[in-house]
Every structure is written in structure tokens, then in C-alpha cells.
Amino acid sequence: MKNNKEIHVNHLWSDRKQEGLKDFILLHSKKQSDERKLRNELLSIQFQIEDYITSNNYNTKLKILDFIKMYLKTLNVTQKKLADLFEMKDSNLHKYLIGERKLNANIVLKLSSFSHTTPEHWLRVQVKNELIEISKERENTGKYQKYDYRNLLVAAEG
């Protein structure tokens, strides 16, 4: 019978080797230019968006605003300045970012240009959030029974 033990990093690397690797990574990170660090942070946000839209986890709902806040924090920019850049009122932009209004092509293309991501990323976040709402609402299927087409047929026969 085979022994199928999972291999962990501490089986291969001593604490001293792990600390050495950590120190090496931190030293290398400090040598990076500010521009490179910024690009890394922006890429990290893009990966978080991709992870969110591809995940099968329907328990956590992240709004577009959550991702935009990450960008704004990284870039040290306010939402008001972003609204100015987008040539719109802050309150109007906020309604799109929280999901009160559906994204349209104009907003999606602005978000895409701002974040250097594809427009599809932002649309997929919106769709993922709608699917989360549907999965939550499915628990209340009883209240939707009245919309069954068979109810129309029964009413037509009567």
C-alpha cells in the first residue's frame, strides 16, 4: 500500500532556508523601481478581479466599487477625481460602482481604459454579482411558482 502523504514546504526547507528565501524576496523587492512596484500592485488587482470572476464561490459578493477602491488606494486618487476624469458627477459614478445602475458600454470602456483591463472583466464582475443574487433568490422558489406557464393554461381552460 502506497503512502500518499502531502508534502509541505517545511518537509523540504528548514526554517533557516525559508527565512533566507523570505529575506531574498524582500531585498529584491526593495530594489525595484517605484514604477515597477506600482505595475505589480496594479497587476495584483487585475489578478484579484480574474480570481473573483472565475471562482465558483457564490458566498462572497464584491462590488465593482471594491475593485475600484483598490485601484484608487494604489494610485492615491479619490473617487471624486476619478469621476472628474470620467467627465461625470461623483454621485452618478458611485451608482454604477455599487451596482445600483447597470454598467453600459461607455462606463465599461472608461473603467477598462483607467484600469488597463479588458471591458469584459468589468462586465463579468457585474454578471457574477447577478448570478450571486439569482442563487440567493433560488432559495425562495415558492414565491415564483405563480409564474409557471401552466397557470396560464389552467386559467385559459376555466
Side-chain angles (χ1 to χ4, degrees):
M1 193 165 170
K2 285 187 174 181
N3 187 357
N4 291 328
K5 281 189 173 180
E6 188 175 329
I7 298 174
H8 295 279
V9 71
N10 59 347
H11 295 147
L12 303 173
W13 291 55
S14 67
D15 288 342
R16 192 184 81 217
K17 282 185 178 180
Q18 289 180 46
E19 282 300 315
L21 178 60
K22 183 179 173 184
D23 292 342
F24 172 79
I25 291 170
L26 289 173
L27 181 65
H28 180 70
S29 176
K30 288 179 183 177
K31 291 179 183 177
Q32 292 180 342
S33 69
D34 289 341
E35 181 184 335
R36 181 69 225 173
K37 289 177 186 176
L38 177 62
R39 285 196 339 243
N40 288 346
E41 287 186 52
L42 296 174
L43 191 58
S44 170
I45 298 168
Q46 183 177 341
F47 288 147
Q48 290 177 64
I49 294 170
E50 290 173 5
D51 184 53
Y52 178 69
I53 59 181
T54 59
S55 165
N56 289 328
N57 179 357
Y58 284 77
N59 297 324
T60 304
K61 181 178 175 182
L62 295 174
K63 296 177 181 166
I64 291 171
L65 178 64
D66 296 319
F67 296 112
I68 292 299
K69 279 184 176 180
M70 291 179 202
Y71 281 106
L72 296 176
K73 181 179 177 187
T74 299
L75 298 168
N76 196 24
V77 175
T78 65
Q79 185 176 314
K80 171 85 172 97
K81 286 196 180 211
L82 180 63
D84 290 343
L85 177 70
F86 285 5
E87 300 173 333
M88 59 192 310
K89 292 182 181 177
D90 182 36
S91 59
N92 192 25
L93 175 62
H94 189 73
K95 289 178 182 181
Y96 286 106
L97 299 180
I98 63 171
E100 190 175 307
R101 291 187 180 157
K102 301 263 188 231
L103 296 177
N104 58 44
N106 184 30
I107 299 296
V108 167
L109 291 169
K110 288 177 180 180
L111 289 170
S112 175
S113 180
F114 168 74
S115 63
H116 293 243
T117 59
T118 66
E120 291 82 5
H121 277 89
W122 298 109
L123 289 174
R124 287 183 178 141
V125 170
Q126 179 173 279
V127 168
K128 169 83 180 247
N129 289 339
E130 290 173 3
L131 290 171
I132 289 171
E133 289 301 315
I134 289 170
S135 71
K136 287 179 183 176
E137 197 60 29
R138 272 195 177 145
E139 297 168 4
N140 301 321
T141 54
K143 75 178 189 182
Y144 293 100
Q145 296 282 331
K146 64 183 178 183
Y147 301 113
D148 188 325
Y149 73 88
R150 290 174 284 203
N151 292 332
L152 288 175
L153 299 177
V154 169
E157 291 174 0

